[in-house]
Amino acid sequence: MYQLTKMIQRDFLNLLINPTWLFFCLMFPFLLITIVSFMTQGMYSDSFTSYDYYGVTLMFYSALYSGTFAANSFMEERIKQANLRGIYAPNCEWKIPFSKTIATFLYTLIIYSFVAVLVSILFSINYGSALFPLWLLFVGVNLASSSFGVFMCCLFKSEGVANQILSILTNIVAITAGLLFPAAAMGSLFSKVSQWMPLSKVIQAAFELIYDSHSQYFLLAFAGSLLVALIFSLLSQLLFKGEAYV
């Protein structure tokens, strides 16, 4: 346990001291919410503004990009060299992908939570009174995305390939789930397809928590996210081979 804790600390610090990743993690959701909300503010009402909509959906969209950070922290050359000792240490190989998942999850969760507080203050975004359940939904999506990013690296054994596929899948999921624009704007057929997307249930649960202070989908959405994270973490353990990592 001590060894795993130290590995997580080291991986977290590697993410924290990288100025490029820190800048992207901070500015990507902030600028995205600011620009998109400003450009679409005439499409919403005074009681439900574009900032209220995109302040929620684009934070979850940013959480999907945790997979990209996980891939970078897992396969980046400078970091790989530091883990060579762990690969050959007894009963340690499984800890490498698990450590990357947890470190990335904690790193992105802390920074994204800070950005959410910041935009809420600056743009008076309504996050409702059920803040803790809403935050738990975000935690679940963030953890699932981090686990998926590590899984993609274990599957393809290449940071570049993993990131390219992650970018494509992230945007497909975001569009079909209505994170970038309301699904109803694309017509009835697209709206029906969107309703079957698991992430759509998460977003629906989030808005119900904000405006109704409860949601019938909360437990299902939260448990589903944790289950996805668990599945991809287990698959990463099965696929990870130290000799391929080197």
Side-chain angles (χ1 to χ4, degrees), residues 84-242:
L84 291 180
R85 290 181 301 173
I87 291 175
Y88 297 106
N91 194 31
C92 186
E93 186 170 295
W94 69 270
K95 297 176 183 176
I96 293 176
F98 184 75
S99 170
K100 307 300 182 185
T101 299
I102 299 303
T104 304
F105 162 69
L106 293 175
Y107 173 79
T108 53
L109 181 65
I110 292 171
I111 295 179
Y112 285 156
S113 296
F114 169 77
V115 173
V117 173
L118 180 63
V119 295
S120 176
I121 295 173
L122 291 177
F123 306 125
S124 300
I125 296 174
N126 179 19
Y127 284 129
S129 58
L131 290 176
F132 185 67
L134 180 65
W135 184 73
L136 286 180
L137 286 178
F138 186 76
V139 166
V141 173
N142 206 350
L143 182 58
S145 300
S146 299
S147 301
F148 184 65
V150 170
F151 163 75
M152 293 295 283
C153 281
C154 292
L155 180 63
F156 294 105
K157 301 176 178 60
S158 168
E159 176 192 355
V161 174
N163 274 330
Q164 289 175 5
I165 296 177
L166 279 168
S167 296
I168 295 172
L169 291 178
T170 295
N171 285 288
I172 290 175
V173 170
I175 291 173
T176 53
L179 299 189
L180 302 181
F181 45 78
M186 297 295 290
S188 59
L189 178 60
F190 187 88
S191 181
K192 291 179 181 178
V193 173
S194 177
Q195 291 176 3
W196 289 98
M197 293 293 295
L199 190 57
S200 295
K201 299 301 181 184
V202 175
I203 300 302
Q204 183 177 345
F207 279 117
E208 287 178 353
L209 286 170
I210 293 171
Y211 294 100
D212 299 329
S213 297
H214 72 277
S215 172
Q216 60 179 328
Y217 294 112
F218 168 71
L219 288 178
L220 178 63
F222 181 60
S225 299
L226 295 184
L227 180 60
V228 169
L230 177 61
I231 290 173
F232 284 121
S233 292
L234 292 176
L235 289 174
S236 297
Q237 305 302 325
L238 293 174
L239 293 173
F240 179 71
K241 302 297 180 184

Side-chain angles (χ1 to χ4, degrees), residues 29-137:
F30 178 78
L31 291 177
L32 197 61
I33 292 172
T34 302
I35 295 172
V36 175
S37 298
F38 177 77
M39 292 178 63
T40 59
Q41 59 183 337
M43 300 170 58
Y44 296 83
S45 65
D46 294 334
S47 59
F48 181 71
T49 68
S50 59
Y51 290 95
D52 290 329
Y53 181 78
Y54 290 111
V56 175
T57 62
L58 293 183
M59 284 307 305
F60 280 96
Y61 177 60
S62 300
L64 294 179
Y65 271 92
S66 298
T68 301
F69 286 100
N72 289 334
S73 71
F74 190 34
M75 301 295 289
E76 202 262 336
E77 289 297 328
R78 179 178 56 87
I79 295 175
K80 284 173 64 176
Q81 295 301 316
N83 287 317
L84 291 180
R85 290 181 301 173
I87 291 175
Y88 297 106
N91 194 31
C92 186
E93 186 170 295
W94 69 270
K95 297 176 183 176
I96 293 176
F98 184 75
S99 170
K100 307 300 182 185
T101 299
I102 299 303
T104 304
F105 162 69
L106 293 175
Y107 173 79
T108 53
L109 181 65
I110 292 171
I111 295 179
Y112 285 156
S113 296
F114 169 77
V115 173
V117 173
L118 180 63
V119 295
S120 176
I121 295 173
L122 291 177
F123 306 125
S124 300
I125 296 174
N126 179 19
Y127 284 129
S129 58
L131 290 176
F132 185 67
L134 180 65
W135 184 73
L136 286 180
L137 286 178

